[in-house]
Amino acid sequence: MNKLITYSKKGLIGIWISLLSLTTGCWDYQELNDYGFVMAVGIDKSHKKGEYLYTFQLVNPGVITRNASGSHATPIATYSQTGRTKLEAIRKMSQQVSRRLFFSHLQVFVISEEILREGAALKVFDVTDRDPQGRINFPVLAARNTQAYKIISALTPIDDISANELKNKIETSKDVWGENRVTLIEEVIENVLASGRDIAISGVELTGDSKQIGKAESILQTRAKGQTKLKGIALFNMQNLVQWADDETARGIMFGSNKIRGAALNINCSKNNNHHLTVIVNYSKTKIKAKITKNRPTIDMNIAAEGRIGEAECPIDLENPDVIHELEQRTSTEIKKEVELALAMGKKNQSDVFGFGDAIHQADPKTWTKWKTNWKKYYPKSQVNIHARIFIRTTGLRTNPYMKERD
Amino acid sequence: MEKAKISAIQLFALMFIFDLGTALIVSYGVTAGKDDWLSILLGMSGGIILFFIYYPVYRKYPDLPLTSYIGEIFGKYIGWIFGFLYCISFLYIAARNVRDFGDLLSSSTLTETPLLVIHTSFVLVICYVLYQGIEVLGRTAEIFLFVLILLGIIGNFFVLVSGDITFQQIRPPLEHGWGPIITTAFPTITTFPFGEMFAFMMLMPYLNKTKLVKKTWLSALICSGLILSWTAFLNMTVLGLDVMERSTFPTLATIGKVSLFDFIERLDAIVVLTLLLTVFFKAAIFLYSAVIGIVDLFKLKNHQQIILPVGIILIFTSMTIASSFSEHLEEGFDASIKFVHIPFFIIIPFLMLVISFIRNYIKKRSNAK
């Protein structure tokens, strides 16, 4: 009797234990500390043909979580690996990194100018798009005059993780200065081979001593050495980088493609002096309408912006509405000029950066079906009417500037 | 046949969830291009027409399941064969649904888990519910209807406020004319999912108020059709045609794009949960239809005794119908529509309608004599 009870107890325990195996949950369960968080990916030319050099920026979790600054390790670590496909490089990385790469926190993608000019480098996003871990809503940048791995390896003083720094930089700059386009991966995927619009990608370059890149000493001083800086917008013809647009031209691209979220435009106070005032643009909306006249695309581009006087370093009567009107007019002309610069560059390089093709597709689907395949032939011929109009709403907390004309 | 009754609301819940199952998540109707939402609306009207083919036959035999009265219409032997083929087709579609679900799960969230494990656990739960009977299934559907609506509201809300919607994506409308829209609506969308509701012919005898069939059926069909059309519209405005064509699960991609304040992100769980719920009921209804069909045809005592064996057949079928997801989809939009959906949900019901009319007519004439 006693034996029977112990047997059944054993049996019960056996069943109980075997049931436990069913309750452990996910098959795919992984511990957090098995993962290496990839924050940035850089792609460069490899010395082998048909291969790219992939560089991954990983967080060093020990340094990030520890508040004490006594640690000597850098907050990030970068690893490089060549591969014919990105996934090959990722999987091969396991020979170098102890942890499994985890991509859900990827912040930024950097591709070197060199391979962008050769074209075909933009195919590497497929794995990001296909993989369930991947997100495609983060920006891609072009490493200008330098290699992507250098950009990825730079240490930054204010944000510990330089990928975050890069991403925040471009987002802040987009909001306040308006010369850098935030081009998300999803945008590239949608448009890179679409016929109605060409992509444009912001550039990032190295400043300071490039030998200092990635050294802890580079940020152990107030004037950090070996840093990165955003510079210009790269224009594309299909998947080939064709030209860099800088300064006003870059801002023209932003105005024309309805991407301005904030900008600061300098205007001469009056025609005969060199003093400036700055108009802050805080709203801008661009509408593009297309029609076909005589087998030639005609585009109407309407830019409506709003802003305020941000700074006036010259004697000017800002209480006078007529003066404001005149300033509005000159600012509008400035915007128009910048967009024209951008358009001229786009036409020269056959880069449909404003998406005129899409506009024609919307307006006249039948003609578009005919033009679609050789749109690049029609595009430079397009007649574009640019109308820019800015409204200056306020002058800030002061009306007239303290600079006065001597009586 | 069990002795059970379900209410009209429960039937509505079952039908509504049934229609949304898989159709809400998988990519379908894309052949209509940017106007797939329109195509779904047309398909819905096709579904309404189909109902008026099914309904008169049902009215003649309100207390019998399909497998019983099909014998009375086509004659004992041919009817039996047709009934058996119906059971097999129901089982096949159930297997397709399970596979849809398994593939979504294994390609989106459980990438390392073998398909067999997902299918087995899923089908075993279905078997358990069906073992408890149709009443339990009905009550479960009633509860989950509200969960589903809640999920739908949350998902829609986030997509709408996320600012990902660009109406440019669906313009210009009717770019390629009505042709692709109509060929997509008839027969593909008409039969899937609306024609599949024919499976409910097996469950109709359980309804406690036979008069409410018309109202319930049509309201469920229209509600679900509108929701499907709206979802397709939303997907197209968020994703655009190109991405839509390349996505295995467009709704998942749409929800995946939502990113609010860098904080509300990765809402994929909503879609996975929606698919889990809807496919659960859809596969359950098909499996149940097949099971009670077999019980009826082979004159078995009760359905409980064969649930598990048929469930295991279901697992096996769901694993073997296709070797890859591409093959599965290809089969679904081509062979399955041609050889299962059109014959079983349009042609045979139509024949049934015609023959029963003729029989009626002959009967009347002979009575008159």
Side-chain angles (χ1 to χ4, degrees):
Chain A
M1 189 64 196
N2 210 3
K3 217 176 178 185
L4 196 79
I5 290 170
T6 45
Y7 269 132
S8 65
K9 254 188 189 170
K10 266 184 193 168
L12 263 178
I13 289 168
I15 293 169
W16 190 63
I17 287 173
S18 59
L19 277 177
L20 264 184
S21 68
L22 293 176
T23 57
T24 48
C26 282
W27 198 288
D28 293 53
Y29 181 67
Q30 286 248 321
E31 286 283 350
L32 192 62
N33 50 13
D34 291 336
Y35 280 125
F37 291 89
V38 178
M39 303 305 283
V41 176
I43 304 170
D44 288 299
K45 199 171 190 172
S46 158
H47 54 275
K48 270 192 207 158
K49 212 179 167 227
E51 287 196 351
Y52 291 136
L53 179 73
Y54 294 88
T55 308
F56 302 92
Q57 183 188 99
L58 270 71
V59 183
N60 192 343
V63 180
I64 294 296
T65 47
R66 220 176 294 138
N67 285 325
S69 55
S71 163
H72 291 294
T74 51
I76 53 165
T78 58
Y79 295 89
S80 290
Q81 175 69 56
T82 57
R84 274 168 303 238
T85 65
K86 193 176 154 208
L87 199 55
E88 182 192 345
I90 291 170
R91 292 277 164 135
K92 237 180 176 176
M93 279 297 287
S94 57
Q95 295 174 334
Q96 295 184 55
V97 189
S98 57
R99 297 175 175 212
R100 208 181 167 131
L101 300 190
F102 187 69
F103 287 89
S104 285
H105 292 269
L106 200 55
Q107 299 293 313
V108 67
F109 223 106
V110 185
I111 305 179
S112 80
E113 181 183 349
E114 201 180 1
I115 54 174
L116 283 176
R117 281 193 189 274
E118 287 169 9
L122 292 172
K123 67 191 174 193
V124 297
F125 301 126
D126 187 75
V127 61
T128 322
D129 196 20
R130 193 178 297 274
D131 197 77
Q133 247 182 35
R135 290 179 314 136
I136 48 173
N137 54 353
F138 57 90
V140 55
L141 295 170
R144 190 170 178 179
N145 292 324
T146 180
Q147 270 77 45
Y149 78 88
K150 284 186 184 158
I151 303 280
I152 300 280
S153 308
L155 287 172
T156 47
I158 292 185
D159 286 305
D160 277 343
I161 300 165
S162 63
N164 285 343
E165 200 250 14
L166 210 52
K167 192 191 177 205
N168 293 342
K169 200 146 65 182
I170 188 165
E171 281 183 346
T172 314
S173 180
K174 172 203 73 176
D175 287 340
V176 302
W177 183 234
E179 270 180 21
N180 302 96
R181 199 177 189 286
V182 178
T183 309
L184 306 181
I185 303 279
E186 58 188 27
E187 221 178 311
V188 175
I189 291 173
E190 270 169 47
N191 292 318
V192 66
L193 287 175
S195 36
R197 179 188 290 273
D198 279 307
I199 53 164
I201 296 178
S202 277
V204 55
E205 63 170 15
L206 285 178
T207 57
D209 189 359
S210 73
K211 277 181 195 149
Q212 293 287 326
I213 286 282
K215 287 189 184 162
E217 298 93 70
S218 69
I219 53 167
L220 289 178
Q221 46 202 333
T222 49
R223 295 173 68 86
K225 286 177 178 168
Q227 294 295 300
T228 58
K229 184 186 166 194
L230 302 170
K231 189 147 195 301
I233 298 178
L235 290 184
F236 281 74
N237 180 2
M238 302 310 269
Q239 44 182 343
N240 292 63
L241 193 159
V242 282
Q243 194 175 0
W244 286 99
D246 281 309
D247 308 326
E248 287 96 357
T249 320
R251 195 157 54 200
I253 291 173
M254 296 292 281
F255 267 113
S257 44
N258 193 19
K259 292 279 178 189
I260 288 280
R261 297 290 167 269
L265 296 169
N266 283 347
I267 307 293
N268 277 353
C269 277
S270 59
K271 273 168 196 148
N272 44 11
N273 72 13
N274 280 331
H275 296 295
H276 285 93
L277 61 75
T278 302
V279 177
I280 295 174
V281 181
N282 42 26
Y283 169 87
S284 169
K285 176 104 187 153
T286 309
K287 282 184 183 160
I288 293 176
K289 279 201 180 121
K291 58 174 186 278
I292 315 283
T293 40
K294 291 178 193 157
N295 220 17
R296 196 169 158 218
T298 308
I299 313 285
D300 277 314
M301 189 189 267
N302 269 302
I303 302 166
E306 266 184 48
R308 60 188 163 93
I309 304 281
E311 187 176 354
E313 298 183 354
C314 54
I316 189 169
D317 185 11
L318 292 179
E319 284 176 359
N320 185 351
D322 292 336
V323 174
I324 299 285
H325 279 309
E326 211 221 306
L327 286 175
E328 281 179 351
Q329 216 146 52
R330 259 190 284 155
T331 317
S332 305
T333 322
E334 171 69 20
I335 294 174
K336 191 179 166 184
K337 193 194 86 194
E338 290 180 0
V339 177
E340 274 167 353
L341 278 173
L343 181 67
M345 188 180 275
K347 275 185 176 178
K348 200 183 90 195
N349 294 297
Q350 302 204 331
S351 172
D352 185 6
V353 65
F354 300 130
F356 291 164
D358 279 349
I360 291 175
H361 188 185
Q362 301 281 333
D364 193 344
K366 274 182 192 154
T367 316
W368 178 244
T369 350
K370 275 189 279 172
W371 285 7
K372 200 159 69 179
T373 42
N374 42 8
W375 164 236
K376 288 292 160 69
K377 243 173 44 194
Y378 293 95
Y379 166 65
K381 288 184 204 155
S382 52
Q383 160 80 34
V384 186
N385 307 315
I386 302 167
H387 311 280
R389 180 93 173 87
I390 186 166
F391 298 93
I392 294 173
R393 299 293 191 199
T394 68
T395 60
L397 287 181
R398 296 287 177 270
T399 53
N400 282 336
Y402 66 84
M403 287 280 288
K404 288 192 184 89
E405 289 200 66
R406 283 266 173 84
D407 301 316
Chain B
M1 289 286 289
E2 5 168 9
K3 286 192 183 69
K5 284 291 170 204
I6 53 173
S7 71
I9 292 174
Q10 285 167 353
L11 185 70
F12 173 82
L14 282 172
M15 284 180 162
F16 178 75
I17 298 176
F18 178 90
D19 270 355
L20 296 186
T22 72
L24 197 62
I25 315 293
V26 298
S27 162
Y28 85 118
V30 196
T31 40
K34 292 175 181 174
D35 307 303
D36 60 344
W37 60 277
L38 207 60
S39 183
I40 292 171
L41 286 184
L42 273 183
M44 184 180 88
S45 57
I48 295 173
I49 296 169
L50 282 185
F51 171 71
F52 287 104
I53 295 175
Y54 306 158
Y55 187 63
V57 186
Y58 160 74
R59 288 295 293 165
K60 284 192 73 185
Y61 311 96
D63 298 325
L64 290 177
L66 170 73
T67 42
S68 302
Y69 66 73
I70 200 168
E72 297 196 10
I73 292 173
F74 284 116
K76 204 176 164 192
Y77 296 105
I78 301 174
W80 194 91
I81 292 168
F82 273 146
F84 188 62
L85 286 178
Y86 264 113
C87 293
I88 291 174
S89 72
F90 290 152
L91 205 57
Y92 169 72
I93 297 173
R96 289 197 58 81
N97 293 332
V98 173
R99 181 63 179 259
D100 276 334
F101 169 76
D103 268 320
L104 174 95
L105 223 55
S106 70
S107 60
S108 73
T109 33
L110 305 174
T111 44
E112 312 275 320
T113 313
L115 211 51
L116 182 66
V117 176
I118 298 173
H119 286 187
T120 309
S121 45
F122 188 59
V123 173
L124 285 181
V125 178
I126 293 177
C127 288
Y128 175 70
V129 171
L130 294 183
Y131 184 85
Q132 300 292 326
I134 183 75
E135 276 185 4
V136 174
L137 188 71
R139 284 200 296 271
T140 322
E142 216 173 349
I143 293 167
F144 277 113
L145 179 67
F146 292 101
V147 177
L148 200 64
I149 290 171
L150 199 69
L151 284 175
I153 291 171
I154 295 171
N156 271 294
F157 174 75
F158 282 127
V159 172
L160 288 173
V161 299
S162 71
D164 289 326
I165 295 178
T166 35
F167 288 106
Q168 296 278 322
Q169 312 260 39
I170 56 155
R171 286 172 55 202
L174 301 180
E175 195 179 350
H176 303 288
W178 283 93
I181 299 175
I182 290 172
T183 49
T184 310
F186 311 104
T188 313
I189 293 174
T190 306
T191 51
F192 169 79
F194 305 112
E196 288 182 346
M197 285 174 83
F198 194 63
F200 279 97
M201 284 300 173
M202 297 297 298
L203 308 186
M204 280 309 171
Y206 297 121
L207 186 63
N208 55 6
K209 283 177 189 147
T210 43
K211 278 178 190 164
L212 287 173
V213 167
K214 198 178 190 175
K215 236 186 220 171
T216 316
W217 188 301
L218 289 179
S219 55
L221 197 149
I222 290 169
C223 287
S224 57
L226 290 178
I227 286 177
L228 287 176
S229 173
W230 165 250
T231 311
F233 179 82
L234 214 58
N235 288 346
M236 192 57 86
T237 50
V238 172
L239 298 175
L241 183 59
D242 179 55
V243 179
M244 190 88 164
E245 274 172 341
R246 289 187 295 112
S247 306
T248 39
F249 304 103
T251 315
L252 191 72
T254 304
I255 286 278
K257 269 190 118 176
V258 171
S259 169
L260 282 173
F261 326 115
D262 288 332
F263 170 63
I264 297 169
E265 280 183 338
R266 313 220 65 145
L267 299 167
D268 312 19
I270 292 179
V271 172
V272 175
L273 211 58
T274 308
L275 188 77
L276 174 72
L277 289 181
T278 53
V279 175
F280 176 81
F281 286 102
K282 191 163 188 172
I285 287 161
F286 274 124
L287 181 60
Y288 189 72
S289 304
V291 164
I292 54 174
I294 293 167
V295 168
D296 188 37
L297 290 170
F298 292 93
K299 311 248 173 328
L300 301 174
K301 258 188 242 123
N302 56 29
H303 76 282
Q304 270 103 339
Q305 60 191 21
I306 61 157
I307 282 254
L308 209 55
V310 178
I312 288 165
I313 294 173
L314 177 61
I315 297 172
F316 180 75
T317 324
S318 66
M319 291 300 294
T320 48
I321 47 174
S323 62
S324 67
F325 189 58
S326 309
E327 196 182 317
H328 174 67
L329 281 186
E330 171 70 27
E331 201 180 302
F333 289 112
D334 194 42
S336 153
I337 295 283
K338 265 187 209 148
F339 300 118
V340 179
H341 285 77
I342 294 178
F344 285 99
F345 302 141
I346 298 180
I347 297 175
I348 298 180
F350 187 71
L351 284 179
M352 276 162 64
L353 179 70
V354 173
I355 293 172
S356 70
F357 264 129
I358 294 170
R359 284 192 178 224
N360 234 6
Y361 182 71
I362 293 170
K363 216 180 189 178
K364 262 185 197 162
R365 294 244 339 229
S366 58
N367 279 357
K369 273 173 193 173

